[in-house]
Amino acid sequence: MSQLIVENIRKSFHKKTVLDDISFTVEDGEFVSLLGPSGSGKSTLFHLIGGLYEPDSGDFYLDGKKITGKRGSISYTPQSPSLFPWRTVLKNIMLGSELFGKPDEQEARVMLEKAGLGGYENAYPHQLSGGMRQRVAFVRSLLSPQSFICLDEPFSALDELTRLEMQKWLLAIWGQNRRSVLFITHSIEEAIFLSDRIIVLSSNPATLKREFKIPFPRPREEDILLTEEFLKWKKEIYQELKVLQ
C-alpha cells in the first residue's frame, strides 16, 4: 500500500503565500499529474512532500504515517536527471538502495534490461543521450525502497518525438510496478496520456482549482492522442488553465 494524503498545506516565503490550503489524496497505485501556471508552487509542493523544508501549516501522511518534515520517505526525480558523473549507470541506479543498505545488483541489471539499457551498465552519464539519462534516473527511483515516486517534469528538456517515446516507456515500466506517482508537467497532452487523474492548481497563491478523472483504459497506446475524445479532454483542461492566466 502507498497512499499519500496532502492535508491543508500552506507555505509562504518572505511573507508571500505560495501554497494556500492545498488538500488532495493520491491512492495506492495511482498516477496523478499536477498542472498549473509557471510559478504556481508545484515544485515547492514536491520539496515539502520530500521533507526538504516544512509547511507553515498542514501535514503529509504516507500509508497513514505522518511524514511532514521527514526526509527519505519518498523517491524524487527532478527535472534534471541529476546523475553522478563519476559513477557508472549501474552504480547510479543503485544509489538509492545503497543509501538504505539494500543494494541488489542482479535486480538492477534486470531493470536496466527492461529499460532498454542492457549493455550500458558500465557507461558513464556523459556517454548517454538525454532520453537515456532520464531512463536511468527513473530506474533509480524504481529501485529505491520508497513506494511513492514524485517526478518533476522529467521530460521537459526532450524533443517532441523523444518525449513521446519516453512517455510510452514510462507507462510500460510503471505498469509492471504500479507504484504511486505524483507527476508535474506543463503539457496538457502529457498529463492526459499518462494519468489516472489530473489536479489543476491556480497561482498567486496556489490553490486547488479542479480535478479531472481521465477515463481512458490501460494500457494506453499513442493512437488515443488523435481521437476526438482525447482532443475534447485537452480542450476542456486548456480552457480551465486559460482562465487562470
Side-chain angles (χ1 to χ4, degrees):
M1 177 182 176
S2 182
Q3 179 201 61
L4 177 73
I5 297 175
V6 178
E7 187 176 88
N8 306 121
I9 296 298
R10 288 185 170 88
K11 183 65 180 177
S12 299
F13 292 103
H14 308 296
K15 298 183 179 180
K16 180 181 179 181
T17 302
V18 179
L19 301 171
D20 187 16
D21 197 25
I22 302 291
S23 296
F24 61 86
T25 299
V26 180
E27 300 295 346
D28 180 39
E30 192 176 26
F31 197 121
V32 176
S33 287
L34 290 176
L35 275 175
S38 296
S40 60
K42 299 183 293 296
S43 293
T44 297
L45 182 60
F46 270 22
H47 294 155
L48 291 167
I49 296 171
L52 298 181
Y53 35 78
E54 295 192 32
D56 299 332
S57 61
D59 286 298
F60 300 99
Y61 296 90
L62 186 63
D63 300 338
K65 296 180 181 179
K66 186 176 175 180
I67 62 167
T68 312
K70 295 182 179 179
R71 300 189 181 192
S73 299
I74 63 154
S75 177
Y76 173 56
T77 299
Q79 294 179 30
S80 167
S82 300
L83 305 177
F84 288 117
W86 59 88
R87 292 178 70 111
T88 64
V89 166
L90 183 63
K91 291 297 184 182
N92 262 292
I93 69 167
M94 292 178 64
L95 180 61
S97 56
E98 284 178 10
L99 293 174
F100 283 82
K102 300 177 180 179
D104 187 336
E105 184 174 321
Q106 183 57 38
E107 183 184 14
R109 290 180 180 276
V110 170
M111 285 301 298
L112 282 175
E113 285 287 344
K114 289 182 179 180
L117 293 168
Y120 287 92
E121 294 88 349
N122 297 317
Y124 289 87
H126 74 273
Q127 298 173 306
L128 307 179
S129 67
M132 292 169 74
R133 288 195 292 270
Q134 285 294 2
R135 292 188 188 200
V136 173
F138 183 64
V139 170
R140 181 177 59 190
S141 295
L142 288 176
L143 288 174
S144 295
Q146 301 94 334
S147 57
F148 194 95
I149 301 175
C150 286
L151 301 174
D152 190 350
E153 294 194 81
F155 309 141
S156 60
L158 304 177
D159 64 79
E160 189 171 352
L161 289 178
T162 304
R163 186 169 181 154
L164 178 58
E165 289 303 311
M166 286 299 299
Q167 291 166 5
K168 292 191 294 183
W169 172 82
L170 172 59
L171 285 180
I173 295 294
W174 173 78
Q176 297 172 19
N177 295 271
R178 282 287 178 145
R179 291 201 190 184
S180 305
V181 172
L182 189 58
F183 186 93
I184 290 177
T185 178
H186 280 98
S187 169
I188 298 172
E189 191 170 278
E190 181 170 71
I192 298 171
F193 185 53
L194 295 176
S195 308
D196 298 305
R197 193 157 42 95
I198 296 172
I199 294 172
V200 176
L201 298 180
S202 67
S203 61
N204 302 315
T207 59
L208 197 155
K209 298 302 293 183
R210 192 171 171 188
E211 292 190 15
F212 295 88
K213 186 173 178 60
I214 306 302
F216 299 109
R218 298 186 185 277
R220 292 180 186 167
E221 302 294 336
E222 63 182 292
D223 296 350
I224 69 169
L225 296 172
L226 298 177
T227 63
E228 287 189 16
E229 187 177 7
F230 190 96
L231 295 175
K232 183 194 76 171
W233 280 96
K234 185 176 179 179
K235 181 178 180 180
E236 185 175 354
I237 296 171
Y238 171 77
Q239 293 297 336
E240 187 72 27
L241 287 170
K242 190 175 180 180
V243 171
L244 300 176
Q245 293 181 344

Short mmCIF file of all heavy atoms in Angstrom, two decimals, residues 11-12 29 33-34 62 77 122 174 180 187-188 201 215 217 239:
data_model
loop_
_atom_site.label_atom_id
_atom_site.label_comp_id
_atom_site.label_asym_id
_atom_site.label_seq_id
_atom_site.Cartn_x
_atom_site.Cartn_y
_atom_site.Cartn_z
N LYS A 11 2.13 27.39 2.65
CA LYS A 11 3.55 27.73 2.71
C LYS A 11 3.77 29.13 2.17
O LYS A 11 3.23 29.48 1.10
CB LYS A 11 4.39 26.72 1.90
CG LYS A 11 5.89 26.97 1.97
CD LYS A 11 6.45 26.79 3.37
CE LYS A 11 7.94 27.05 3.45
NZ LYS A 11 8.46 26.93 4.84
N SER A 12 4.56 29.92 2.89
CA SER A 12 4.91 31.27 2.46
C SER A 12 6.42 31.44 2.45
O SER A 12 7.13 30.78 3.23
CB SER A 12 4.29 32.32 3.40
OG SER A 12 2.89 32.23 3.40
N GLY A 29 -1.11 2.95 -6.06
CA GLY A 29 -1.00 2.56 -7.45
C GLY A 29 -1.55 3.56 -8.44
O GLY A 29 -1.64 3.26 -9.64
N SER A 33 -1.26 13.64 -12.04
CA SER A 33 -0.44 14.75 -12.55
C SER A 33 -0.91 16.08 -11.96
O SER A 33 -2.11 16.29 -11.75
CB SER A 33 -0.51 14.83 -14.08
OG SER A 33 0.23 13.79 -14.67
N LEU A 34 0.06 16.97 -11.73
CA LEU A 34 -0.21 18.34 -11.31
C LEU A 34 0.01 19.27 -12.49
O LEU A 34 1.08 19.28 -13.09
CB LEU A 34 0.73 18.75 -10.17
CG LEU A 34 0.52 18.11 -8.80
CD1 LEU A 34 1.61 18.58 -7.84
CD2 LEU A 34 -0.85 18.44 -8.24
N LEU A 62 1.80 9.35 4.64
CA LEU A 62 2.09 8.28 3.70
C LEU A 62 1.77 6.97 4.36
O LEU A 62 2.34 6.63 5.41
CB LEU A 62 3.57 8.32 3.27
CG LEU A 62 3.98 7.33 2.18
CD1 LEU A 62 3.25 7.63 0.87
CD2 LEU A 62 5.49 7.37 1.95
N THR A 77 12.44 12.39 -8.43
CA THR A 77 13.22 12.59 -9.64
C THR A 77 13.00 14.01 -10.14
O THR A 77 11.89 14.35 -10.56
CB THR A 77 12.81 11.60 -10.75
OG1 THR A 77 13.03 10.25 -10.28
CG2 THR A 77 13.64 11.81 -12.00
N ASN A 122 28.18 -0.23 -17.59
CA ASN A 122 29.47 0.37 -17.24
C ASN A 122 29.72 1.70 -17.94
O ASN A 122 30.82 2.25 -17.86
CB ASN A 122 30.60 -0.62 -17.55
CG ASN A 122 30.49 -1.89 -16.71
OD1 ASN A 122 30.21 -1.82 -15.52
ND2 ASN A 122 30.68 -3.04 -17.34
N TRP A 174 6.07 1.52 -15.57
CA TRP A 174 5.19 1.79 -14.43
C TRP A 174 4.10 0.73 -14.32
O TRP A 174 3.74 0.30 -13.23
CB TRP A 174 4.58 3.18 -14.55
CG TRP A 174 3.54 3.47 -13.51
CD1 TRP A 174 3.75 3.81 -12.20
CD2 TRP A 174 2.12 3.43 -13.69
NE1 TRP A 174 2.54 3.99 -11.56
CE2 TRP A 174 1.53 3.76 -12.46
CE3 TRP A 174 1.30 3.16 -14.79
CZ2 TRP A 174 0.14 3.81 -12.29
CZ3 TRP A 174 -0.07 3.21 -14.62
CH2 TRP A 174 -0.63 3.54 -13.38
N SER A 180 2.76 4.28 -6.69
CA SER A 180 2.01 5.53 -6.73
C SER A 180 2.93 6.64 -7.24
O SER A 180 4.07 6.75 -6.80
CB SER A 180 1.50 5.89 -5.34
OG SER A 180 0.74 4.83 -4.80
N SER A 187 2.57 20.15 -19.80
CA SER A 187 1.95 19.66 -21.02
C SER A 187 0.60 19.01 -20.72
O SER A 187 0.55 17.97 -20.03
CB SER A 187 2.86 18.66 -21.73
OG SER A 187 2.17 18.00 -22.76
N ILE A 188 -0.47 19.59 -21.22
CA ILE A 188 -1.81 19.01 -21.02
C ILE A 188 -1.87 17.63 -21.66
O ILE A 188 -2.39 16.68 -21.08
CB ILE A 188 -2.88 19.93 -21.63
CG1 ILE A 188 -2.89 21.29 -20.93
CG2 ILE A 188 -4.27 19.28 -21.53
CD1 ILE A 188 -3.79 22.32 -21.59
N LEU A 201 -3.83 23.39 -10.42
CA LEU A 201 -3.55 24.40 -9.40
C LEU A 201 -3.60 25.79 -10.01
O LEU A 201 -3.17 26.00 -11.15
CB LEU A 201 -2.16 24.17 -8.78
CG LEU A 201 -1.91 22.86 -8.03
CD1 LEU A 201 -0.48 22.85 -7.50
CD2 LEU A 201 -2.90 22.66 -6.90
N PRO A 215 -10.64 8.99 -18.26
CA PRO A 215 -11.37 7.73 -18.43
C PRO A 215 -10.69 6.68 -19.31
O PRO A 215 -11.19 5.56 -19.41
CB PRO A 215 -12.67 8.20 -19.08
CG PRO A 215 -12.24 9.35 -19.95
CD PRO A 215 -11.14 10.04 -19.18
N PRO A 217 -8.81 3.66 -20.76
CA PRO A 217 -8.33 2.41 -20.14
C PRO A 217 -6.83 2.22 -20.33
O PRO A 217 -6.22 2.84 -21.20
CB PRO A 217 -9.14 1.33 -20.87
CG PRO A 217 -9.43 1.93 -22.21
CD PRO A 217 -9.63 3.40 -21.95
N GLN A 239 -9.04 25.13 -21.40
CA GLN A 239 -9.92 26.24 -21.02
C GLN A 239 -9.83 26.53 -19.54
O GLN A 239 -9.86 27.69 -19.11
CB GLN A 239 -11.38 25.91 -21.41
CG GLN A 239 -11.64 25.84 -22.90
CD GLN A 239 -11.41 27.16 -23.62
OE1 GLN A 239 -11.48 28.23 -23.03
NE2 GLN A 239 -11.13 27.09 -24.91
#
